[in-house]
Amino acid sequence: MRDAAPTTIYLKDYTPFGFDVEKVELTFDLHPTKTRVKSRISFVPKPGAPSDMFLDGENLTLVSASIDGTPVHPEVSAEGLTCPVPDAPFLWEAEVEIDPENNTALEGLYMSNGMYCTQCEAQGFRKITYYPDRPDVMSVFTVEINGPHPVLLSNGNVVSTSQGHAVWHDPWPKPAYLFALVAGDLVAHSDSFVTASGRNVDLNLYVRPGDEGKCAFGMRALKASMTWDEEVYGREYDLDLFNIVAVDDFNMGAMENKGLNVFNSSAVLASPETSTDENFLRIEAIIAHEYFHNWTGNRITCRDWFQLCLKEGLTVYRDSQFTSDMRSAPVKRITDVIDLRARQFPEDQGPLAHPVRPESFQEINNFYTATVYEKGAEVIGMLRCLVGAEAYGKALDLYFGRHDGQACTIEDWLKVFEDTTGRDLGQFKRWYSQAGTPRLTVKDAWYNGTYILSFTQNLPASETTPDPQPQVIPILTGLLSPSGQEVVPSQVLEMTQATQSFTFEGLKERPIPSVLRGFSAPVVLESELAAEHTAFLLAHDTDPFNRWEAGRSLARASLLKMITDDAAPDPAYLDGIHAVVGDATLDPAYRALMLNLPGQSDLVKSLCDMGETPDPQAIWDACRAMSHAQAERLQDILPALFDAHQVTEPYEPNADQSGRRSLANAALRLVSLIDGPDRARGQFTSADNMTQQLSALGVLLRINEGTDELEAFEQQWKHDRLVMDKWFGMQVIHADPNETAATATRLTEHPDFNWKNPNRFRAVMGSLAAHHAGFHFADGQSYGLLADWLIRLDPVNPQTTARMCSAFQTWRRYDDARQQKIAAALDRILATPGLSRDTTEMLTRIRGS
Ligand code: BES
Ligand code: ZN
């Protein structure tokens, strides 16, 4: 059945559910196409409860229903059922039939490689049985599973288990979106953890037979996360068992179901031979993220889905703190900012802009966005910056103490900070309600020993924020002397006005300012400071983030001049990075990041702001030319950098080794532009780990070599789905712009292009969308190709289709010819009969009028 006509849901319309749910008992009789789900739910009407009860339910066949043992015949619609109910506590019993095998949307109960699994967030539980499927309804669940599988899992603790039968009980009240069930032929990688208070917790990572060798790292990351949350946030785990299951077909990365996390296998399975350093890093972060949700999400959940950032923004913030502690804090910060600018800024500056806490939506799945997640985390970072680490810790303790077991709002969250610090956070709250990226302009002045920094903030008006008001912007700032001494150490300048100045007295000479250190607020900084300051900061800033940022600014300015004026690469930039990259006292991972160029779609935005019409091919050519200029300028040190950072000890995915590999591979990429393929070929052949093998292959493809290596790679890895995802993605990512669409098309014809698997679909189509110059190649082939595949995927998997529509979100930045081609592609998708609510909402918003 297709989705009903779209309706918009508003935050302002929130009303509590009229009934409490005292307990829930579920029985599953598993069958691929005819699973029976029996529910026994104890409802208690609240004062003023309606006489009719509505329960959510989608794609269910109602077999029977009764209230207190008497059969009832509810009115059933495509969204749920309505039934007259008593005005006293009653027992609702129902039996429904569902079809997991044909559930290709991967929401509710579905099958993946013969295994049953569930995904209920946000609104998947209603595809399992009739229920008040909303996060503010919390209850205790007991689950009985009958099925022929060796492993039968659900949330909480095991009550009883025997061949073909298991009963689980979760003592913690939870919303339905945290329900999970898994059944299959799985093997466990087991370990245990003793909590700070001495509770023993059994840990299991369940995988398909054959994947046992890819579990050790995930388990280590889980134990590190458990320890970290005890030490840093004082939060212990609260059950005797913690299970993780890896599944191959999964829309997202992973899900924090109580006591039974479900992971996309790409987000948990790892071995040195099959996974890159980046994969290991991501796995460590995502395991931490889902584990941290046990407190920020599960124990304290969201009142409604508008409050999603309450759990996601906070948990992203917590997982980034964890990664900073486990690895290098500056490197983590830089990579987070690169990601924010690449994904969140375009969203915030285009037709999909929405506040961190949206006020309306049609399809909640479309609001698991970079804004809710990444900007939501930035807002928490700003709050911590404003109140200080100590007050932040106290506020969090108050939050956990006051709201444990509750379904909360952003108001509750801000109140704990107000109560802890005595501050009024009324203005700060605008970060949650106003969409868009503020522009922050800075200039300075110097009179007889007084130094003045003046800032202006400006938030562009948008559809959701027509009348923007000034926000509170913490601007972490330090001042350097002309000889590079830090004369005024980092301090937070708290900006609250549209225009505001800050004065520094008692300086002997005019300082060089380092503003917005650590990227202390998610803004676009426009500097009217002397241009030579940037090169000075690249050489001398004591703040590692701003030092990197200075290099980035020089690269951007130079690239823009190369694009608009045909200028040569800026020698000051090249000299500056030569010095930093060659500085052996600095962390290799940090030095590798110095070689990274601004994103091509970021440059598009800058060109638009300058009143230019961006030409994707010219941007591509400029970035290529800049890489060559880097290679030539660094030619004297590249071979030695490559050699000196080879890792000779056995592979470990730790920060030290992966940092060395990233610098060696950055050097390899550049030196190969000059010296050709030999070094990369050698590395490809001798590599004993995927990081080295894949980066060598990438370098070869980039210089139009590597045909034989691609073939060899396929032969070596065709049995491994996760590695083959890399093989598919790689070829698109490294294609020349004029060949990107053809390459992607060829790959879709490969027998292993299993497009119903989200990982494989994303490997090809996600890479196509991520290849800026290839996606926007003038012939428009890529637009058409992506549209074809979105039309094909939508009826099968609306959620993944809708997420991929964001490839088109920046379309208004391009020339008329491209806009016409994109509009035609969008209109063609929108005209598809029966298009899902998910995709319709995304494309309608992107298309605009
Ligand atoms: N709760 C989400 C998973 C989710 C998202 C379920 C959307 C249903 C709809 C989970 O905690 C999450 O945020 N996962 C992220 C990874 C994380 C490291 C940011 C994901 O899956 O991408
Ligand atoms: Zn999350």
Side-chain angles (χ1 to χ4, degrees):
M1 188 174 18
R2 285 322 194 94
D3 292 319
T7 43
T8 303
I9 301 165
Y10 296 91
L11 168 59
K12 64 176 164 51
D13 293 343
Y14 173 82
T15 42
F17 188 56
F19 305 81
D20 285 321
V21 179
E22 243 175 16
K23 64 174 181 170
V24 179
E25 290 168 16
L26 302 172
T27 300
F28 288 81
D29 294 317
L30 296 174
H31 181 282
T33 55
K34 294 181 173 64
T35 287
R36 289 288 176 113
V37 185
K38 294 193 202 87
S39 58
R40 288 170 297 282
I41 309 173
S42 306
F43 286 103
V44 179
K46 294 179 190 168
S51 54
D52 282 348
M53 180 174 71
F54 177 79
L55 298 178
D56 299 294
E58 283 176 19
N59 301 343
L60 305 172
T61 306
L62 182 61
V63 178
S64 65
S66 70
I67 289 180
D68 291 330
T70 307
V72 290
H73 301 282
E75 193 186 308
V76 176
S77 74
E79 283 93 45
L81 60 72
T82 308
C83 189
V85 295
D87 59 5
F90 61 93
L91 177 69
W92 162 268
E93 291 175 277
E95 180 165 2
V96 301
E97 190 173 287
I98 53 179
D99 182 355
E101 193 170 84
N102 291 303
N103 179 358
T104 55
L106 315 181
E107 199 186 33
L109 178 69
Y110 65 93
M111 298 196 77
S112 170
N113 294 320
M115 134 190 191
Y116 291 85
C117 74
T118 55
Q119 172 54 41
C120 293
E121 188 179 4
Q123 299 181 330
F125 192 75
R126 62 188 62 185
K127 296 182 168 180
I128 294 176
T129 192
Y130 288 101
Y131 196 73
D133 187 7
R134 41 188 292 167
D136 58 345
V137 172
M138 297 170 83
S139 190
V140 172
F141 285 65
T142 304
V143 178
E144 179 185 345
I145 313 169
N146 299 306
H149 313 84
V151 174
L152 302 170
L153 307 171
S154 189
N155 316 87
N157 303 312
V158 187
V159 176
S160 68
T161 175
S162 56
Q163 178 61 43
H165 178 83
V167 179
W168 290 80
H169 177 73
D170 179 2
W172 297 102
K174 66 168 175 288
Y177 82 85
L178 292 173
F179 167 82
L181 177 151
V182 168
D185 180 5
L186 300 169
V187 286
H189 175 99
S190 304
D191 204 329
S192 66
F193 181 84
V194 180
T195 68
S197 67
R199 179 204 281 270
N200 189 75
V201 185
D202 290 331
L203 310 174
N204 299 294
L205 174 46
Y206 285 96
V207 299
R208 288 168 61 195
D211 285 337
E212 298 91 331
K214 293 185 176 184
C215 298
F217 180 80
M219 184 59 81
R220 254 199 285 159
L222 174 60
K223 293 168 80 173
S225 307
M226 297 177 85
T227 303
W228 187 91
D229 216 16
E230 290 183 348
E231 288 176 352
V232 179
Y233 279 83
R235 299 297 123 194
E236 269 188 40
Y237 187 61
D238 55 7
L239 287 166
D240 303 328
L241 180 61
F242 189 82
N243 287 327
I244 293 179
V245 179
V247 297
D248 284 336
D249 297 280
F250 200 73
N251 283 331
M252 302 290 291
M255 177 64 207
E256 71 265 26
N257 317 299
K258 184 81 188 189
L260 179 54
N261 287 2
V262 175
F263 273 63
N264 187 321
S265 49
S266 72
V268 58
L269 299 182
S271 71
E273 299 72 36
T274 59
S275 313
T276 63
D277 288 331
E278 273 180 37
N279 296 149
F280 281 102
L281 182 70
R282 160 111 181 121
I283 288 168
E284 184 178 270
I286 192 160
I287 291 207
H289 178 97
E290 307 311 337
Y291 174 73
F292 296 159
H293 268 314
N294 193 54
W295 274 94
T296 51
N298 302 3
R299 295 283 291 247
I300 304 179
T301 193
C302 303
R303 186 192 73 174
D304 53 72
W305 292 118
F306 297 102
Q307 320 294 329
L308 181 60
C309 64
L310 180 78
K311 75 176 177 80
E312 295 301 349
L314 177 54
T315 306
V316 171
Y317 184 68
R318 274 153 51 69
D319 82 55
S320 71
Q321 288 181 303
F322 169 77
T323 299
S324 303
D325 285 355
M326 294 290 134
R327 293 163 182 261
S328 150
V331 168
K332 172 61 176 165
R333 188 62 189 142
I334 292 166
T335 50
D336 278 355
V337 173
I338 290 174
D339 191 52
L340 188 77
R341 285 182 175 144
R343 301 195 308 115
Q344 199 275 325
F345 279 21
E347 184 171 275
D348 223 354
Q349 298 163 358
L352 298 179
H354 55 277
V356 169
R357 182 174 67 176
E359 268 144 44
S360 68
F361 61 73
Q362 289 175 9
E363 171 52 60
I364 182 57
N365 283 329
N366 290 336
F367 281 84
Y368 285 74
T369 61
T371 297
V372 169
Y373 274 67
E374 271 75 45
K375 190 176 176 184
E378 291 297 319
V379 171
I380 291 172
M382 286 190 285
L383 200 48
R384 186 167 186 271
C385 181
L386 287 167
V387 304
E390 197 186 324
Y392 175 84
K394 287 199 178 120
L396 267 285
D397 286 343
L398 182 59
Y399 179 63
F400 293 122
R402 185 185 279 176
H403 295 296
D404 189 11
Q406 298 177 5
C408 293
T409 61
I410 287 303
E411 283 73 17
D412 296 324
W413 163 254
L414 290 174
K415 187 79 170 44
V416 299
F417 281 85
E418 293 192 323
D419 291 353
T420 305
T421 63
R423 267 173 187 259
D424 176 354
L425 292 173
Q427 187 186 359
F428 185 82
K429 197 176 170 189
R430 288 178 189 153
W431 281 108
Y432 287 100
S433 60
Q434 300 194 137
T437 315
R439 305 194 147 253
L440 183 66
T441 314
V442 56
K443 58 185 181 194
D444 67 346
W446 168 255
Y447 319 88
N448 320 317
T450 299
Y451 182 66
I452 302 169
L453 276 175
S454 306
F455 296 92
T456 301
Q457 60 167 300
N458 171 39
L459 183 63
S462 61
E463 203 175 308
T464 46
T465 309
D467 181 24
Q469 299 298 312
Q471 295 178 170
V472 183
I473 304 184
I475 308 170
L476 189 66
T477 299
L479 301 180
L480 301 168
S481 73
S483 59
Q485 300 304 305
E486 183 145 294
V487 285
V488 174
S490 284
Q491 57 178 274
V492 180
L493 309 179
E494 189 172 332
M495 183 179 191
T496 56
Q497 311 294 313
T499 298
Q500 204 166 336
S501 296
F502 299 87
T503 304
F504 302 84
E505 307 280 2
L507 295 166
K508 291 200 189 69
E509 43 192 347
R510 184 179 184 137
I512 291 92
S514 170
V515 300
L516 205 69
R517 286 185 156 179
F519 205 64
S520 59
V523 300
V524 173
L525 182 64
E526 273 162 14
S527 174
E528 291 173 14
L529 303 170
E532 62 271 18
H533 282 171
T534 317
F536 177 87
L537 294 175
L538 173 56
H540 299 293
D541 204 329
T542 46
D543 179 74
F545 178 85
N546 268 16
R547 193 171 184 192
W548 171 83
E549 180 82 321
R552 188 79 156 187
S553 302
L554 291 176
R556 174 196 319 280
S558 178
L559 282 163
L560 292 172
K561 283 209 192 88
M562 290 162 73
I563 294 161
T564 57
D565 301 344
D566 225 8
D570 176 8
Y573 163 67
L574 296 171
D575 292 347
I577 59 164
H578 186 284
V580 177
V581 174
D583 182 347
T585 65
L586 297 170
D587 175 6
Y590 180 76
R591 291 150 73 196
L593 284 170
M594 278 282 172
L595 293 166
N596 193 295
L597 296 178
Q600 295 180 37
S601 106
D602 215 19
L603 294 168
V604 167
K605 180 72 169 86
S606 304
L607 289 164
C608 291
D609 292 345
M610 293 160 62
E612 302 272 338
T613 303
D615 172 358
Q617 186 65 41
I619 296 173
W620 167 271
D621 292 338
C623 290
R624 282 263 155 150
M626 184 62 101
S627 292
H628 276 274
Q630 287 183 334
E632 271 158 27
R633 181 63 186 85
L634 275 68
Q635 198 169 4
D636 58 332
I637 56 172
L638 290 174
L641 281 177
F642 178 72
D643 293 337
H645 293 89
Q646 295 301 319
V647 175
T648 48
E649 59 273 29
Y651 180 93
E652 278 292 332
N654 58 29
D656 168 54
Q657 280 198 14
S658 60
R660 283 189 274 154
R661 277 187 289 270
S662 71
L663 185 54
N665 285 324
L668 177 65
R669 175 171 59 81
L670 292 179
V671 81
S672 302
L673 295 176
I674 295 175
D675 291 357
D678 292 352
R679 276 192 197 79
R681 277 222 170 93
Q683 176 167 318
F684 181 86
T685 314
S686 64
D688 65 355
N689 65 77
M690 184 51 65
T691 307
Q692 295 298 88
Q693 189 177 17
L694 201 66
S695 54
L697 181 57
V699 167
L700 290 171
L701 294 175
R702 225 184 122 111
I703 54 175
N704 296 316
E705 300 273 349
T707 317
D708 294 346
E709 285 78 8
L710 264 180
E711 167 77 28
F713 191 98
E714 184 186 13
Q715 288 311 315
Q716 184 181 355
W717 294 115
K718 58 185 176 207
H719 61 281
D720 188 308
R721 301 228 273 171
L722 296 176
V723 180
M724 284 304 283
D725 287 336
K726 301 182 203 302
W727 182 85
F728 274 90
M730 197 69 177
Q731 300 180 59
V732 181
I733 289 165
H734 291 286
D736 281 339
N738 60 332
E739 287 171 359
T740 314
T743 303
T745 304
R746 178 173 53 73
L747 290 169
T748 62
E749 288 155 6
H750 190 286
D752 290 336
F753 182 65
N754 169 14
W755 57 275
K756 293 185 183 175
N757 175 261
N759 292 356
R760 190 57 52 90
F761 188 89
R762 281 189 287 252
V764 177
M765 292 299 148
S767 301
L768 176 68
H771 188 314
H772 182 261
F775 185 59
H776 293 285
F777 193 73
D779 63 10
Q781 297 251 2
S782 297
Y783 306 146
L785 180 62
L786 183 59
D788 292 343
W789 280 98
L790 293 178
I791 289 169
R792 188 143 172 202
L793 187 65
D794 186 68
V796 168
N797 187 333
Q799 205 178 319
T800 290
T801 308
R803 290 185 80 81
M804 297 221 36
C805 292
S806 58
F808 293 111
Q809 71 178 326
T810 54
W811 70 291
R812 289 286 192 195
R813 294 179 180 176
Y814 297 90
D815 53 86
D816 290 345
R818 284 187 174 81
Q819 287 196 29
Q820 277 176 24
K821 292 191 171 79
I822 298 175
L826 296 175
D827 290 343
R828 192 154 62 83
I829 309 172
L830 275 166
T832 310
L835 196 70
S836 68
R837 178 173 60 206
D838 311 52
T839 304
T840 305
E841 181 189 24
M842 290 294 281
L843 292 181
T844 316
R845 284 162 64 209
I846 291 171
R847 180 73 171 87
S849 43

